[in-house]
Amino acid sequence: MIKLKDLLTEGTGGDCYKAAGNLAIGFVGDPKAKLVHGMVNGQGALDGIRFGHAWVEYGNKVLDHSNGKKREMPK
């Protein structure tokens, strides 16, 4: 059985929650912008690890400005 505590602490590190929150503040009042939190599956060095993550969806784009990067991709 998977415990909630294990899901929430499986992957650690990064500043995605703070970065996404700060980015979302810039879109206050814009109905096209959504602050999103979810569990994602890692890739590359994080392959096989699930972790909590946060990003902003704006229209048909995903904006991930965590860890000093500015990733923007189609939704």
Side-chain angles (χ1 to χ4, degrees):
M1 174 195 274
I2 299 173
K3 296 181 181 179
L4 179 59
K5 177 184 170 197
D6 295 334
L7 286 174
L8 296 176
T9 60
E10 188 172 344
T12 59
D15 69 348
C16 63
Y17 292 104
K18 181 178 179 181
N22 288 335
L23 182 59
I25 288 170
F27 291 106
V28 168
D30 190 332
K32 292 188 283 184
K34 296 178 184 172
L35 175 61
V36 181
H37 296 101
M39 295 295 291
V40 298
N41 294 314
Q43 298 176 350
L46 298 175
D47 189 37
I49 298 174
R50 286 175 32 99
F51 55 93
H53 193 55
W55 61 94
V56 172
E57 292 181 359
Y58 185 76
N60 289 324
K61 285 190 170 189
V62 172
L63 312 174
D64 181 354
H65 290 193
S66 60
N67 301 318
K69 298 186 175 149
K70 292 190 176 182
R71 294 181 186 99
E72 299 187 4
M73 60 203 86
K75 194 170 164 183

